[in-house]
Amino acid sequence: MKATVVTSAPHPTVPHQEPVESAILPTYARADVTFERGEGVWLISDTGERYLDFGAGIAVNALGHAHPHLVAALTEQAQKVWHTSNLFQMPGGERLARRLVDTTFADTVFFTNSGAEALECAIKMARKYHSANGEPNRYRIITVEGAFHGRTLATIAAGGQKKYLEGFGPKVDGFDQVPFGDPEALLAAIGPDTAAILVEPIQGEGGIRPFPAATLRELRRLCDEKGLLLMFDEVQTGVGRTGKLFAHEWAGVTPDIMAVAKGIGGGFPMGACLATAEAGKGMTAGVHGTTFGGNPLAMAVGNAVLDVVLEEGFLERVAAAGLLLRQRLAELIDRHPRVIEEVRGEGLLLGLKVRGSLADMVTALRAQKLLTIPAGDNVVRLLPPLIVSDEEIRDAVRRIDAACSALERGQSPAAAE
Ligand SMILES: *Cc1c(COP(=O)(O)O)cnc(C)c1O
């Protein structure tokens, strides 16, 4: 069966929208709603309905929609130069890289267009590091079950999820996966060919599953002892999402290599791979590249995002907002124990584990005009823009409360609309 999509009426006098065949490859089951514009934490549909956006385009719109500082930065750059390639000097990229280096463990940055590309750079860097050390056999990377690192051939192998690997030929070699929370299995997986350990400090797509701080510290110790590189995938957890600039700061340890994307561009497609000088030492001129990565438009927006996120008090405010949301959600468990089982996460990266159908929950929430993102382990992700106000948090909680009540009444999510 061909996928269908509802498009805007071709002419203003045509009253009804007829489903037409989509020309887009149908790899997404899209909700039947079209957003025309956004303001802060709100998205407005083409029928004029206002939705509270607690999905933020999957943790991307860190400063919400149409943030004036980002709009100004992009507009200003758009009038100067859009693209020159990495064959020339990149002042915006130099500035952003310097600022990232000044605020993190890193000494060096490679800019990409997406999270998966940031991970590709990280994976190649770890392999090249050992090769530069005269140990090219050390190319294997240990990852953890439930991980998500992207959809390229290498990153689906790193993520190790059957549903993403199925049908795409032999899995890219060089990834060894261990169960979540099994230190003995991890230790046993380290062999003479192991190059690195790669984890998300809090698994995002896997269902907001945090690694305890003690585990992250133990990974650091283990990597130091065995000469392995520690790699953090902070594509979802980074750039203020958890109330620190990067989530690993909560544990007080630093990685050797880190992948960042999603929030870093506030909605402009971009990513970055950060590393220590030592870990990056094999990445010399010509060994890696990108046509678009570090493009002037992306760098202008990336710098503008940092202007706001690094403002005094911004991260503290994210942490406080996260605490408020978490407390209110905990109260909802008391009110709806048959619907919600648990709240977890950090800052504004929160998950609600639901007891019934996850799809029904997300639909019921959307019927209340609240956008959320489903994840693994039967968890609904709540990832509002980091600028969300206390009033908007209370508003969202009222909508979750109403959605839970509708589900308890056994109303089908569609009937609740
Ligand atoms: C989204 C995500 C990725 C992949 O990013 P893309 O931009 O979709 O390639 C990788 N790792 C984590 C943790 C993510 O959440």
Side-chain angles (χ1 to χ4, degrees):
M1 206 185 76
K2 289 260 175 114
T4 59
V5 65
V6 178
T7 60
S8 300
H11 190 276
T13 59
V14 177
H16 292 293
Q17 300 176 354
E18 291 296 323
V20 295
E21 262 177 31
S22 171
I24 297 175
L25 194 71
T27 57
Y28 278 96
R30 296 169 199 273
D32 187 11
V33 55
T34 304
F35 294 112
E36 217 163 55
R37 66 199 165 84
E39 300 162 356
V41 181
W42 298 86
L43 274 172
I44 297 105
S45 77
D46 58 355
T47 52
E49 286 170 311
R50 292 174 65 84
Y51 286 74
L52 197 45
D53 184 8
F54 269 46
I58 321 184
V60 167
N61 302 99
L63 303 184
H65 301 281
H67 190 288
H69 188 58
L70 303 198
V71 172
L74 183 61
T75 311
E76 193 190 323
Q77 185 60 46
Q79 283 158 358
K80 293 182 186 165
V81 62
W82 289 24
H83 182 82
T84 59
S85 87
N86 284 300
L87 302 177
F88 303 99
Q89 295 298 317
M90 293 291 225
E94 291 291 346
R95 174 156 182 262
L96 183 53
R98 179 61 52 201
R99 296 171 85 191
L100 289 170
V101 161
D102 286 347
T103 47
T104 67
F105 72 95
D107 303 308
T108 184
V109 182
F110 182 87
F111 291 113
T112 67
N113 311 290
S114 67
E117 285 169 281
L119 266 303
E120 288 275 343
C121 178
I123 293 161
K124 287 176 75 176
M125 186 184 285
R127 292 180 174 192
K128 199 76 172 178
Y129 167 78
H130 291 289
S131 169
N133 280 344
E135 295 185 285
N137 62 303
R138 291 181 80 168
Y139 68 93
R140 306 196 67 84
I141 294 172
I142 296 173
T143 64
V144 177
E145 274 174 19
F148 181 82
H149 299 298
R151 297 290 201 110
T152 61
L153 287 168
T155 56
I156 56 175
Q161 296 201 42
K162 269 204 186 66
K163 61 179 176 185
Y164 297 144
L165 286 160
E166 181 100 3
F168 293 118
K171 187 177 146 202
V172 170
D173 182 34
F175 298 96
D176 297 307
Q177 197 156 61
V178 298
F180 190 96
D182 189 341
E184 270 150 48
L186 187 114
L187 205 56
I190 299 174
D193 293 346
T194 305
I197 298 173
L198 167 64
V199 299
E200 302 152 79
I202 301 173
Q203 286 189 346
E205 313 288 318
I208 314 296
R209 299 203 297 173
F211 283 91
T215 304
L216 295 180
R217 286 196 287 270
E218 178 58 15
L219 288 182
R220 179 71 271 176
R221 196 197 60 73
L222 207 56
C223 284
D224 290 341
E225 184 190 300
K226 309 267 184 191
L228 309 177
L229 296 174
L230 181 58
M231 308 205 289
F232 287 155
D233 179 347
E234 292 235 23
V235 168
Q236 193 157 155
T237 52
V239 198
R241 177 60 46 194
T242 68
K244 296 274 190 198
L245 190 55
F246 291 100
H248 66 259
E249 294 169 35
W250 289 109
V253 291
T254 57
D256 301 292
I257 304 175
M258 174 170 73
V260 183
K262 294 203 163 96
I264 194 173
F268 198 94
M270 67 170 290
C273 177
L274 280 65
T276 63
E278 174 67 8
K281 72 182 180 188
M283 302 298 271
T284 52
V287 309
H288 190 53
T290 167
T291 300
F292 291 117
N295 160 303
L297 295 173
M299 296 300 100
V301 182
N303 273 305
V305 169
L306 268 199
D307 290 343
V308 177
V309 171
L310 295 180
E311 260 170 29
E312 176 127 10
F314 184 89
L315 293 171
E316 289 77 4
R317 163 69 208 151
V318 172
L323 214 56
L324 173 67
L325 178 54
R326 206 195 164 100
Q327 281 165 352
R328 291 290 175 272
L329 292 173
E331 289 164 16
L332 279 189
I333 300 186
D334 297 338
R335 285 169 54 79
H336 304 284
R338 283 168 50 218
V339 182
I340 312 172
E341 192 178 323
E342 192 190 353
V343 185
R344 58 205 198 196
E346 188 72 61
L348 290 172
L349 181 70
L350 293 177
L352 277 181
K353 189 166 163 80
V354 304
R355 291 193 188 277
S357 149
L358 179 60
D360 281 356
M361 181 68 170
V362 171
T363 308
L365 291 167
R366 200 166 62 241
Q368 301 295 331
K369 305 285 181 282
L370 180 70
L371 302 177
T372 60
I373 313 274
D377 203 23
N378 227 40
V379 164
V380 179
R381 271 177 287 179
L382 302 170
L383 317 158
L386 307 182
I387 53 158
V388 67
S389 70
D390 288 358
E391 185 40 47
E392 285 159 340
I393 286 173
R394 282 189 280 269
D395 188 341
V397 171
R398 280 193 294 272
R399 291 168 197 242
I400 299 168
D401 194 2
C404 290
S405 298
L407 289 169
E408 279 162 352
R409 287 194 304 270
Q411 243 173 289
S412 84
E417 284 203 62

